[in-house]
Amino acid sequence: MSSSLHLPRRQFLALGGVALGTTALVAADPATSALASGRVPDGVFTLGVASGDPQPDGVVLWTRLAPDPVAADGLGGMPARAYDVVWEVATDERFRRVVRRGVSRATPEWAHSVHVELRGLSPDRVYWYRFRAGDQVSAVGRTRTAPSRAARLKSLTFAFASCQAWTDGHFTAFEHMAAEDLDLVVHLGDYIYEGGGAGTIGRPHLPATETFSLTDYRIRYGQYKLDPHLQAAHATAPWVVAPDDHEVENNWAGDHSQPDTEPDQDPAVFRLRRAAAYQAYYENLPLRRSSMPHGAEMQVYRRLTFGDMLQLNVLDTRRFRDPQLTDPAQRWDPSRQMLGAEQETWLLDGLAASTAAWNVLGNQVFAFEADHTDGPDERFGMDPWDGYAAARQRLFDGVLDRGVENYLMITGDAHRSVAADLKQDFSDASSATVGVEFLGTSVTSGGNGTDNDALGNTWLAENPHMRFHNVQRGYQVCHLGRDEMRTDYRVLPFVSEPGAPISTRASVYVENGRAGVAQVEA
C-alpha cells in the first residue's frame, strides 16, 4: 500500500489482515483439548437461531457456533476446525413429527456459521426447527414457508425495521416484535454500527474502536446478536435482510469510502474493508448461497413472491450508486446512478411482470422529496434519493409507463417515520401519484426520540406530499389485504432503559387500485 493513502496505523494493519483472513483462521493454534479430541466446546448456541428468504418449498435456516461471541480474536471461542451440526425440521414444536433432518458442516473459514437451504417443504406452512452439535441442542425456532405463487391469499402481515445502534438504546422493540403474529420480517439495514464509542447509557461497543478488519466485524456482530430480544424476533418468523451503510461504513457509495477522515483513500483499500464487512454480514444472517460474498462483491438485490398478494423487491442502494454530491445543482444529472443500470432494468422488468396485488420495494434510503429549509429556499440531503433526482425520476416514470399498481416503498435509515405520497413531479401537487412510501423509524438509533421535532415541522410544512411524521423509536407492521393495506407505526416512549411499552402511534391506509395515502388514523 502506498504511503500516500494516509491510513491510521490500526486501519492499515487491520485491512492488511483481511486479505489473509482465511489463511490466518486455518493456521490458528490447535493446542486445545477440544481441537485435539474433536469435542464440541460447551455453550456453542449462544447466538440463537434464525430463518430467512422463504420460498414456497423451503427457507434458509441459520445458526452459528460461538461459545464466546466477543472473543478478542474474532473466532467466537471456537477451535480452528470444522464441526458437524445436525438440523431438524418438524411440523410441531415438540418435534414429534420430524419431516426433514440433515447434517451441515460448520467451518472456521465462515466463523462456524450454518446456512441450511431447505427444499421439499409444503407452501404456506408453519415449521419448527433446531440444531444439535455434539450433545448440545439449540433453542427452537419457528418459521413459515411462502405461499405458492398461484395461491389466492386473503391477507399477509409483515414487519419492517432498521437502524439498531447498540450504544443508543435497548432492543426492546424486538421483544414486542417477537410477540406480533407475523408472516415475515424485513430488515432494511444498519443491523450493526461500525463506529466505536461507549454512548451514554452503559452499552459500549465491542471492540471499543471503529471496525475495519474481519475480526472487528465478527466481534461487533457477536455483541449485537447476544441480545435476547433480537434473538427472539429472529426465532419467531423468517427474515429478509439487506445491508445499508453502517454494516460497512457510514455513507459509503460504490467503491468509495466516506470522504471524511481519509479523503485520499484508495478504492482498493476500501474494497478490502467491504470484503470483511460483507463476510461478517453473511456469517451472521440467514442468507442463501446466492448472497454469499465473493471478496468485496455480494448479491443483495433479489425478489420474493408471496402468492397473489405480495411481490417484494429487495434493493441494493449502496453498491452501484455514484458518490454523494458536494454540489446539489448536479442532482438532476441524468448520468448519475442510484441502483445501477442492471438493477434498475431488473426492477422495472419485474414490476411490469408482477401479478401480485401489492408491489413493495425494500429500500434503504428515502425516495420522497424532502426540503429541509423553511421558506422559498430549498435544501436537500445528498445521501437519499434526493441526491440522485434524475435516477428517481427514471424509476417513477418507469413505474407509471408500465402501469404498475399498488406501488409501495418501505424504507429505513432516517431514524424517523414518514408516510408520503410519491409524486411524478414533487413541485406540482396535481401531478400523478406513483405510489406511497412508508419511511420507518429506527429501533434505537438516535436515542429516545420524541413525537415531533423542528425538522419534522419543517418537513410537514414544506413538503405537502408528506402525510404523517414522528420521531419515536420502534418498528412498523404492514397488513396486506385484498381491498386495502394498513401500516401501523409501533412506537416506544424510551429506549435508554429496558422495559418500555409498545403502542400504535398511527395507522396509515392505502386502497387497492388508488395510488396515494387514503387515510391516516393518528
Side-chain angles (χ1 to χ4, degrees):
M1 298 180 185
S2 167
S3 60
S4 66
L5 298 178
H6 306 300
L7 290 172
R9 174 175 172 78
R10 180 178 178 277
Q11 185 179 354
F12 180 91
L13 294 174
L15 289 176
V18 171
L20 301 175
T22 299
T23 302
L25 284 170
V26 174
D29 182 9
T32 68
S33 59
L35 179 61
S37 66
R39 179 179 60 82
V40 179
D42 293 334
V44 292
F45 291 115
T46 58
L47 299 180
V49 300
S51 66
D53 276 16
Q55 297 290 342
D57 65 342
V59 295
V60 179
L61 305 182
W62 173 93
T63 194
R64 181 181 157 212
L65 308 183
D68 183 7
V70 295
D73 60 4
L75 302 182
M78 291 293 292
R81 56 152 292 177
Y83 291 89
D84 287 335
V85 179
V86 177
W87 51 266
E88 291 182 314
V89 179
T91 57
D92 68 300
E93 194 169 2
R94 294 189 177 185
F95 289 81
R96 292 171 177 166
R97 296 182 298 276
V98 174
V99 295
R100 290 287 184 277
R101 181 183 287 115
V103 179
S104 291
R105 198 78 163 156
T107 67
E109 290 80 6
W110 293 95
H112 294 96
S113 60
V114 176
H115 297 76
V116 180
E117 294 193 24
L118 280 175
R119 300 292 299 273
L121 300 182
S122 299
D124 200 14
R125 179 78 182 263
V126 171
Y127 291 94
W128 282 264
Y129 61 95
R130 64 187 178 187
F131 299 88
R132 188 177 75 247
D135 59 357
Q136 301 173 60
V137 180
S138 74
V140 173
R142 177 185 181 274
T143 191
R144 188 175 193 133
T145 52
S148 65
R149 288 171 175 80
R152 181 174 173 82
L153 304 184
K154 293 182 179 180
S155 63
L156 186 144
T157 301
F158 69 88
F160 70 95
S162 65
C163 305
Q164 52 205 51
W166 180 269
T167 55
D168 285 3
H170 295 266
F171 290 174
T172 314
F174 287 124
E175 178 182 13
H176 294 292
M177 183 187 288
E180 304 267 7
D181 185 13
L182 302 172
D183 298 306
L184 185 72
V185 174
V186 182
H187 197 286
L188 296 170
D190 297 346
Y191 192 95
I192 64 162
Y193 277 67
E194 83 288 5
T200 60
I201 63 169
R203 284 165 64 92
H205 263 149
L206 294 175
T209 54
E210 187 166 348
T211 54
F212 291 104
S213 70
L214 180 56
T215 295
D216 293 340
Y217 285 108
R218 282 173 167 171
I219 295 170
R220 187 64 53 85
Y221 277 99
Q223 179 182 36
Y224 276 55
K225 293 187 74 66
L226 276 170
D227 186 90
H229 301 318
L230 178 58
Q231 289 189 24
H234 269 298
T236 55
W239 284 41
V240 175
V241 301
D244 187 22
D245 54 344
H246 286 289
E247 287 89 350
V248 182
E249 180 190 38
N250 184 42
N251 286 352
W252 69 275
D255 286 339
H256 299 273
S257 174
Q258 175 180 264
D260 54 356
T261 55
E262 287 89 37
D264 299 322
Q265 186 173 106
D266 188 330
V269 177
F270 176 69
R271 285 176 62 85
L272 285 174
R273 182 180 187 180
R274 194 173 76 222
Y278 275 176
Q279 178 166 339
Y281 185 80
Y282 177 82
E283 290 170 348
N284 286 281
L285 287 163
L287 289 159
R288 294 185 178 274
R289 281 188 294 273
S290 56
S291 293
M292 178 182 283
H294 299 277
E297 304 302 324
M298 183 170 71
Q299 183 66 38
V300 171
Y301 68 86
R302 58 202 189 277
R303 180 174 296 119
L304 297 94
T305 302
F306 298 81
D308 68 344
M309 185 63 71
L310 169 64
Q311 184 193 87
L312 175 61
N313 297 277
V314 182
L315 302 187
D316 184 344
T317 60
R318 288 291 163 190
R319 176 64 193 89
F320 308 104
R321 66 159 70 191
D322 288 307
Q324 292 88 342
L325 290 170
T326 56
D327 180 6
Q330 299 177 19
R331 69 192 193 100
W332 285 96
D333 180 348
S335 68
R336 285 177 52 74
Q337 297 283 344
M338 171 63 93
L339 303 178
E342 182 177 322
Q343 183 179 189
E344 193 174 291
T345 299
W346 165 87
L347 174 60
L348 289 171
D349 287 349
L351 289 170
S354 174
T355 58
W358 301 97
N359 296 289
V360 177
L361 272 63
N363 171 58
Q364 287 77 42
V365 291
F366 62 80
F368 55 72
E369 188 171 85
D371 179 7
H372 286 55
T373 301
D374 293 314
D377 293 337
E378 293 182 324
R379 181 171 62 85
F380 303 102
M382 294 295 101
D383 187 61
W385 286 80
D386 272 340
Y388 303 79
R392 176 177 62 197
Q393 194 67 54
R394 283 196 308 273
L395 174 59
F396 286 5
D397 289 346
V399 169
L400 290 174
D401 290 345
R402 288 159 176 79
V404 179
E405 291 190 342
N406 300 333
Y407 174 82
L408 308 173
M409 300 181 78
I410 56 173
T411 305
D413 181 70
H415 310 168
R416 57 185 64 236
S417 296
V418 173
D421 291 335
L422 298 174
K423 307 294 290 185
Q424 186 177 28
D425 182 354
F426 285 103
S427 66
D428 180 5
S430 65
S431 70
T433 299
V434 180
V436 174
E437 181 168 18
F438 296 102
L439 172 62
T441 187
S442 64
V443 172
T444 61
S445 303
N448 286 334
T450 183
D451 190 64
N452 206 352
D453 61 5
L455 178 59
N457 290 328
T458 296
W459 274 16
L460 290 172
E462 297 297 319
N463 305 280
H465 48 277
M466 295 187 188
R467 304 288 301 278
F468 167 74
H469 179 273
N470 176 263
V471 205
Q472 291 170 288
R473 307 284 78 88
Y475 58 92
Q476 299 65 230
V477 180
C478 298
H479 306 269
L480 306 184
R482 304 213 66 83
D483 298 324
E484 67 179 12
M485 69 85 61
R486 180 183 90 241
T487 296
D488 295 334
Y489 282 92
R490 305 279 278 157
V491 300
L492 304 165
F494 56 86
V495 293
S496 55
E497 297 178 2
I502 193 80
S503 63
T504 298
R505 175 60 182 83
S507 295
V508 182
Y509 294 81
V510 179
E511 297 176 358
N512 190 340
R514 180 178 176 268
V517 172
Q519 182 183 359
V520 178
E521 290 182 352

Coordinates of all heavy atoms in Angstrom, one line a residue, residues 340-387:
G340 N -27.8 1.6 -10.4 CA -27.1 1.0 -11.5 C -28.0 0.5 -12.6 O -29.1 0.1 -12.3
A341 N -27.5 0.5 -13.8 CA -28.4 0.2 -14.9 C -28.9 -1.2 -14.9 O -30.1 -1.4 -15.2 CB -27.6 0.4 -16.2
E342 N -28.1 -2.2 -14.5 CA -28.6 -3.6 -14.5 C -29.7 -3.8 -13.4 O -30.7 -4.4 -13.7 CB -27.4 -4.5 -14.2 CG -27.8 -6.0 -14.2 CD -26.6 -6.9 -14.0 OE1 -25.5 -6.5 -14.5 OE2 -26.7 -7.9 -13.3
Q343 N -29.5 -3.3 -12.2 CA -30.5 -3.4 -11.2 C -31.8 -2.7 -11.5 O -32.9 -3.1 -11.3 CB -30.0 -3.0 -9.8 CG -30.9 -3.2 -8.7 CD -30.4 -2.7 -7.3 OE1 -31.0 -3.0 -6.3 NE2 -29.2 -2.1 -7.3
E344 N -31.6 -1.5 -12.1 CA -32.8 -0.7 -12.5 C -33.6 -1.4 -13.5 O -34.9 -1.4 -13.4 CB -32.3 0.7 -13.0 CG -33.4 1.7 -13.2 CD -32.8 3.1 -13.6 OE1 -32.0 3.7 -12.8 OE2 -33.0 3.5 -14.7
T345 N -33.0 -2.0 -14.5 CA -33.7 -2.8 -15.5 C -34.4 -4.0 -14.9 O -35.6 -4.3 -15.2 CB -32.8 -3.2 -16.6 OG1 -32.2 -2.0 -17.3 CG2 -33.5 -4.0 -17.7
W346 N -33.7 -4.7 -14.0 CA -34.2 -5.9 -13.3 C -35.5 -5.5 -12.6 O -36.5 -6.2 -12.6 CB -33.2 -6.5 -12.4 CG -33.7 -7.4 -11.4 CD1 -33.9 -8.8 -11.5 CD2 -34.1 -7.1 -10.0 NE1 -34.4 -9.3 -10.3 CE2 -34.5 -8.3 -9.4 CE3 -34.1 -5.9 -9.3 CZ2 -34.9 -8.3 -8.1 CZ3 -34.5 -6.0 -8.0 CH2 -34.9 -7.2 -7.4
L347 N -35.4 -4.4 -11.9 CA -36.5 -3.9 -11.0 C -37.7 -3.6 -11.9 O -38.9 -4.1 -11.6 CB -36.1 -2.7 -10.2 CG -37.2 -2.1 -9.4 CD1 -37.8 -3.0 -8.4 CD2 -36.7 -0.8 -8.7
L348 N -37.6 -2.8 -12.9 CA -38.7 -2.3 -13.7 C -39.3 -3.5 -14.5 O -40.5 -3.6 -14.6 CB -38.3 -1.2 -14.6 CG -38.0 0.1 -13.9 CD1 -37.4 1.1 -14.9 CD2 -39.3 0.7 -13.3
D349 N -38.5 -4.4 -15.0 CA -39.0 -5.6 -15.7 C -39.8 -6.5 -14.7 O -40.9 -7.0 -15.1 CB -37.9 -6.4 -16.3 CG -37.2 -5.7 -17.5 OD1 -37.8 -4.7 -18.0 OD2 -36.2 -6.2 -18.0
G350 N -39.3 -6.6 -13.5 CA -40.1 -7.4 -12.6 C -41.4 -6.8 -12.1 O -42.4 -7.5 -12.0
L351 N -41.4 -5.5 -12.0 CA -42.6 -4.8 -11.6 C -43.6 -4.9 -12.8 O -44.8 -5.1 -12.5 CB -42.3 -3.3 -11.3 CG -41.6 -3.1 -10.0 CD1 -41.2 -1.6 -9.9 CD2 -42.5 -3.4 -8.8
A352 N -43.2 -4.8 -14.0 CA -44.1 -4.9 -15.2 C -44.7 -6.3 -15.3 O -45.8 -6.4 -15.7 CB -43.3 -4.6 -16.4
A353 N -44.0 -7.3 -14.9 CA -44.5 -8.7 -15.0 C -45.2 -9.1 -13.8 O -45.8 -10.2 -13.7 CB -43.3 -9.6 -15.2
S354 N -45.3 -8.3 -12.7 CA -45.9 -8.7 -11.5 C -47.4 -8.9 -11.6 O -48.1 -8.2 -12.3 CB -45.7 -7.7 -10.4 OG -46.4 -8.0 -9.2
T355 N -47.9 -10.0 -11.0 CA -49.4 -10.2 -10.9 C -49.8 -10.1 -9.4 O -51.0 -10.5 -9.1 CB -49.7 -11.6 -11.4 OG1 -49.0 -12.6 -10.7 CG2 -49.3 -11.8 -12.9
A356 N -49.0 -9.6 -8.6 CA -49.3 -9.5 -7.1 C -50.2 -8.3 -6.9 O -50.1 -7.3 -7.6 CB -48.1 -9.4 -6.3
A357 N -51.0 -8.4 -5.9 CA -51.9 -7.2 -5.5 C -51.1 -6.0 -5.1 O -51.4 -4.9 -5.4 CB -52.9 -7.7 -4.4
W358 N -50.0 -6.3 -4.3 CA -49.1 -5.2 -3.8 C -47.7 -5.4 -4.2 O -47.1 -6.5 -4.1 CB -49.3 -5.2 -2.3 CG -50.7 -5.0 -1.8 CD1 -51.5 -6.0 -1.4 CD2 -51.4 -3.8 -1.7 NE1 -52.7 -5.4 -1.1 CE2 -52.7 -4.1 -1.2 CE3 -51.1 -2.4 -1.9 CZ2 -53.7 -3.1 -1.0 CZ3 -52.0 -1.5 -1.7 CH2 -53.3 -1.8 -1.3
N359 N -47.1 -4.3 -4.8 CA -45.7 -4.4 -5.2 C -44.9 -3.5 -4.3 O -45.0 -2.3 -4.3 CB -45.6 -3.9 -6.7 CG -46.4 -4.8 -7.6 OD1 -46.0 -5.9 -7.9 ND2 -47.6 -4.3 -8.1
V360 N -44.0 -4.1 -3.5 CA -43.3 -3.5 -2.5 C -41.8 -3.5 -2.7 O -41.2 -4.5 -3.1 CB -43.6 -4.1 -1.1 CG1 -42.8 -3.5 0.0 CG2 -45.1 -4.1 -0.8
L361 N -41.2 -2.3 -2.6 CA -39.7 -2.2 -2.7 C -39.1 -2.1 -1.3 O -39.5 -1.2 -0.5 CB -39.3 -1.0 -3.5 CG -39.2 -1.2 -5.0 CD1 -40.5 -1.6 -5.6 CD2 -38.7 0.1 -5.7
G362 N -38.2 -3.0 -0.9 CA -37.5 -2.9 0.3 C -36.3 -2.0 0.0 O -35.3 -2.4 -0.6
N363 N -36.3 -0.8 0.5 CA -35.4 0.3 0.0 C -34.7 0.9 1.2 O -35.3 1.1 2.3 CB -36.4 1.4 -0.6 CG -35.7 2.7 -0.9 OD1 -34.7 2.7 -1.7 ND2 -36.2 3.7 -0.4
Q364 N -33.4 1.2 1.1 CA -32.6 1.6 2.3 C -32.7 3.1 2.6 O -32.6 3.5 3.8 CB -31.1 1.2 2.0 CG -30.8 -0.2 2.1 CD -31.3 -1.0 0.9 OE1 -31.1 -0.6 -0.2 NE2 -31.9 -2.2 1.1
V365 N -32.8 4.0 1.6 CA -32.8 5.4 1.9 C -34.1 6.0 1.2 O -34.5 5.6 0.2 CB -31.6 6.1 1.4 CG1 -30.4 5.7 2.2 CG2 -31.3 5.8 -0.1
F366 N -34.7 7.1 1.9 CA -36.0 7.5 1.4 C -36.0 8.1 0.0 O -35.0 8.8 -0.4 CB -36.6 8.5 2.5 CG -35.9 9.8 2.7 CD1 -36.0 10.8 1.9 CD2 -35.1 9.9 3.9 CE1 -35.4 12.0 2.1 CE2 -34.5 11.1 4.2 CZ -34.6 12.2 3.3
A367 N -37.1 7.9 -0.6 CA -37.2 8.3 -2.0 C -38.1 9.6 -2.2 O -38.0 10.3 -3.2 CB -37.8 7.2 -2.9
F368 N -38.9 9.9 -1.2 CA -39.7 11.1 -1.4 C -38.8 12.3 -1.3 O -37.8 12.3 -0.7 CB -40.8 11.2 -0.3 CG -40.3 11.1 1.1 CD1 -39.6 12.1 1.8 CD2 -40.6 9.9 1.8 CE1 -39.2 12.0 3.1 CE2 -40.2 9.8 3.2 CZ -39.5 10.8 3.8
E369 N -39.3 13.4 -1.9 CA -38.5 14.7 -1.8 C -38.7 15.3 -0.4 O -39.8 15.3 0.1 CB -39.0 15.7 -2.9 CG -38.1 16.9 -3.0 CD -38.5 17.8 -4.2 OE1 -39.4 18.6 -4.0 OE2 -37.8 17.6 -5.2
A370 N -37.6 15.8 0.1 CA -37.7 16.3 1.5 C -36.9 17.6 1.5 O -35.6 17.6 1.7 CB -37.1 15.3 2.5
D371 N -37.6 18.7 1.4 CA -37.0 20.1 1.5 C -36.7 20.3 3.0 O -37.6 20.2 3.8 CB -37.9 21.1 0.9 CG -37.4 22.5 1.1 OD1 -36.2 22.7 1.5 OD2 -38.1 23.5 0.8
H372 N -35.5 20.6 3.4 CA -35.1 20.7 4.8 C -35.1 22.1 5.3 O -34.7 22.4 6.4 CB -33.6 20.2 4.9 CG -33.5 18.7 4.9 ND1 -33.9 17.9 3.8 CD2 -33.0 17.8 5.8 CE1 -33.7 16.6 4.1 NE2 -33.1 16.6 5.2
T373 N -35.6 23.1 4.5 CA -35.5 24.5 4.8 C -36.8 25.2 4.8 O -37.6 25.0 3.8 CB -34.5 25.2 3.9 OG1 -33.2 24.6 4.0 CG2 -34.4 26.7 4.3
D374 N -37.2 26.0 5.8 CA -38.4 26.8 5.8 C -38.3 27.9 4.7 O -37.2 28.5 4.5 CB -38.7 27.4 7.1 CG -39.0 26.3 8.2 OD1 -39.8 25.4 7.9 OD2 -38.4 26.4 9.3
G375 N -39.4 28.3 4.1 CA -39.4 29.4 3.2 C -39.1 29.0 1.8 O -39.1 27.8 1.4
P376 N -38.9 30.0 0.9 CA -38.7 29.8 -0.5 C -37.4 29.0 -0.9 O -37.4 28.4 -1.9 CB -38.7 31.2 -1.1 CG -38.3 32.1 0.0 CD -38.8 31.5 1.3
D377 N -36.4 29.1 -0.1 CA -35.2 28.4 -0.4 C -35.4 26.9 -0.2 O -36.3 26.5 0.6 CB -34.0 28.8 0.5 CG -33.6 30.3 0.2 OD1 -33.8 30.7 -0.9 OD2 -33.0 30.9 1.2
E378 N -34.5 26.1 -0.8 CA -34.6 24.6 -0.8 C -33.3 24.1 -0.4 O -32.2 24.5 -0.8 CB -35.1 24.0 -2.1 CG -36.5 24.4 -2.4 CD -37.0 23.7 -3.7 OE1 -36.1 23.6 -4.6 OE2 -38.2 23.4 -3.8
R379 N -33.3 23.0 0.4 CA -32.1 22.3 0.7 C -32.5 20.8 0.9 O -33.4 20.4 1.6 CB -31.5 22.8 2.0 CG -30.2 22.0 2.4 CD -29.5 22.8 3.6 NE -30.4 22.8 4.8 CZ -30.4 21.8 5.7 NH1 -29.7 20.7 5.5 NH2 -31.2 21.9 6.7
F380 N -31.7 19.9 0.2 CA -32.0 18.5 0.2 C -30.8 17.7 0.6 O -29.6 18.1 0.4 CB -32.4 18.1 -1.2 CG -33.5 18.8 -1.8 CD1 -33.3 19.8 -2.7 CD2 -34.8 18.5 -1.4 CE1 -34.4 20.5 -3.2 CE2 -35.9 19.2 -1.9 CZ -35.7 20.2 -2.8
G381 N -31.0 16.6 1.3 CA -29.9 15.7 1.6 C -29.4 15.0 0.4 O -30.1 14.7 -0.6
M382 N -28.1 14.8 0.4 CA -27.4 14.2 -0.8 C -27.2 12.7 -0.7 O -26.9 12.0 -1.7 CB -26.0 14.9 -1.0 CG -26.1 16.3 -1.4 SD -27.0 16.6 -3.0 CE -28.6 17.1 -2.4
D383 N -27.5 12.1 0.4 CA -27.4 10.6 0.6 C -28.6 9.9 0.2 O -28.6 8.9 -0.5 CB -27.0 10.2 2.0 CG -26.7 8.7 2.1 OD1 -25.7 8.3 1.4 OD2 -27.4 8.1 2.9
P384 N -29.8 10.4 0.5 CA -31.1 9.8 0.0 C -31.3 10.0 -1.5 O -30.4 10.6 -2.2 CB -32.2 10.4 0.8 CG -31.5 11.2 1.9 CD -30.1 11.5 1.4
W385 N -32.4 9.5 -2.0 CA -32.7 9.7 -3.4 C -32.7 11.1 -3.9 O -32.6 11.4 -5.1 CB -34.0 9.0 -3.8 CG -34.0 7.5 -3.8 CD1 -34.0 6.6 -2.7 CD2 -33.9 6.6 -5.0 NE1 -34.0 5.3 -3.2 CE2 -33.9 5.3 -4.5 CE3 -33.9 6.9 -6.3 CZ2 -33.9 4.2 -5.4 CZ3 -33.8 5.8 -7.2 CH2 -33.8 4.5 -6.7
D386 N -32.9 12.1 -3.0 CA -32.9 13.5 -3.4 C -31.6 13.9 -4.0 O -31.5 14.8 -4.8 CB -33.1 14.4 -2.1 CG -34.6 14.6 -1.9 OD1 -35.4 14.5 -2.8 OD2 -34.9 15.0 -0.7
G387 N -30.5 13.2 -3.6 CA -29.2 13.5 -4.3 C -29.0 12.8 -5.6 O -28.0 13.0 -6.3

